[in-house]
Amino acid sequence: SQKIEQNSEALNIQEGKTATLTCNYTNYSPAYLQWYRQDPGRGPVFLLLIRENEKEKRKERLKVTFDTTLKQSLFHITASQPADSATYLCALTGSSNTGKLIFGQGTTLQVKP
Amino acid sequence: DADVTQTPRNRITKTGKRIMLECSQTKGHDRMYWYRQDPGLGLQLIYYSFDVKDINKGEISDGYSVSRQAQAKFSLSLESAIPNQTALYFCATGQRGGPPGELFFGEGSRLTVL
């Protein structure tokens, strides 16, 4: 069955450093990979989308890479700030664009001042 | 005001009771979804709808039903709640033709079944 793995252990980093989160998947060939942010008690918020034919995507301090050979995406936050502390969810979807997403369990990031 | 509104935000009920969770949106999107989130697990899709007359099962539809009363309203029902349906439920919307996988989520409805 399709499976997405994100590091279940929380990631703790110092303010100003680059945070790198990993998303690995198996038994799936996604056309699109998304990253969402979720704050405690809130719904997920869409951050970035990367297509299968794209290697890298940037948005402000965020950078996402997508390696379909390794079946892995890396999500980077540069110059991290305490306000970046949240849980980050990776999600996959196929080419039909139905909006049916397969989510990973998320990785919690804690940025310390 | 939130674009995607869920009611109730919190509900405690007993086994066997019928529960309805409601979702309304002001985004004008045609697609609506219900997801369930459990601790340590990813969100799982329960049901989705592409328009008022369209209802589709997701990964975990057993024990749930939905109704799309209008383009802006999508409700989730548990006909006879059981304890393992205790979870955080999210409604989401999406726009046909919009960026793939860009969904807009409500704030969630926390359901506890005793």
Side-chain angles (χ1 to χ4, degrees):
Chain A
S1 62
Q2 302 156 347
K3 194 171 181 181
I4 303 178
E5 288 286 343
Q6 294 184 253
N7 193 339
S8 58
E9 291 184 12
L11 178 63
N12 295 294
I13 65 168
Q14 207 65 35
E15 182 177 8
K17 300 293 187 184
T18 296
T20 299
L21 285 68
T22 304
C23 173
N24 296 293
Y25 61 92
T26 57
N27 299 325
Y28 197 59
S29 295
Y32 309 98
L33 187 146
Q34 292 79 215
W35 283 90
Y36 280 78
R37 169 181 173 145
Q38 186 174 21
D39 291 285
R42 310 293 297 273
V45 175
F46 174 81
L47 294 175
L48 274 175
L49 156 75
I50 187 166
R51 292 172 166 76
E52 61 178 336
N53 60 353
E54 296 177 318
K55 297 294 184 185
E56 182 178 300
K57 198 81 166 281
R58 292 175 185 261
K59 180 182 177 183
E60 298 173 351
R61 294 184 297 111
L62 308 180
K63 184 179 86 171
V64 173
T65 63
F66 193 10
D67 188 326
T68 55
T69 301
L70 291 179
K71 294 186 181 291
Q72 181 181 79
S73 174
L74 299 179
F75 177 77
H76 306 272
I77 305 175
T78 58
S80 59
Q81 305 166 359
D84 295 326
S85 299
T87 296
Y88 291 87
L89 309 176
C90 166
L92 307 176
T93 190
S95 58
S96 60
N97 191 13
T98 58
K100 292 168 60 180
L101 302 181
I102 302 172
F103 280 89
Q105 77 273 36
T107 297
T108 298
L109 171 66
Q110 187 72 33
V111 181
K112 299 183 186 241
Chain B
D1 287 343
D3 294 321
V4 183
T5 303
Q6 293 184 229
T7 56
R9 294 293 312 281
N10 287 285
R11 181 72 183 268
I12 300 173
T13 190
K14 294 182 179 180
T15 297
K17 294 292 187 182
R18 184 178 188 274
I19 295 297
M20 178 180 287
L21 305 180
E22 299 185 337
C23 177
S24 63
Q25 54 118 343
T26 58
K27 298 191 74 67
H29 289 168
D30 47 359
R31 299 179 174 186
M32 297 188 74
Y33 307 81
W34 276 104
Y35 280 88
R36 165 180 172 157
Q37 187 174 40
D38 296 277
L41 297 179
L43 284 90
Q44 295 174 281
L45 181 61
I46 307 172
Y47 271 97
Y48 62 103
S49 168
F50 288 168
D51 66 40
V52 175
K53 295 180 181 177
D54 179 73
I55 300 291
N56 303 282
K57 292 183 177 181
E59 308 167 65
I60 56 164
S61 58
D62 287 348
Y64 302 95
S65 62
V66 291
S67 174
R68 184 84 183 264
Q69 303 94 320
Q71 190 201 33
K73 296 184 182 296
F74 193 35
S75 59
L76 175 72
S77 293
L78 289 68
E79 296 301 324
S80 180
I82 56 177
N84 74 2
Q85 291 178 312
T86 293
L88 187 54
Y89 291 86
F90 287 102
C91 174
T93 71
Q95 180 72 297
R96 180 177 46 186
E102 183 179 9
L103 301 185
F104 296 84
F105 285 82
E107 295 296 296
S109 295
R110 185 170 296 281
L111 176 65
T112 302
V113 183
L114 302 177

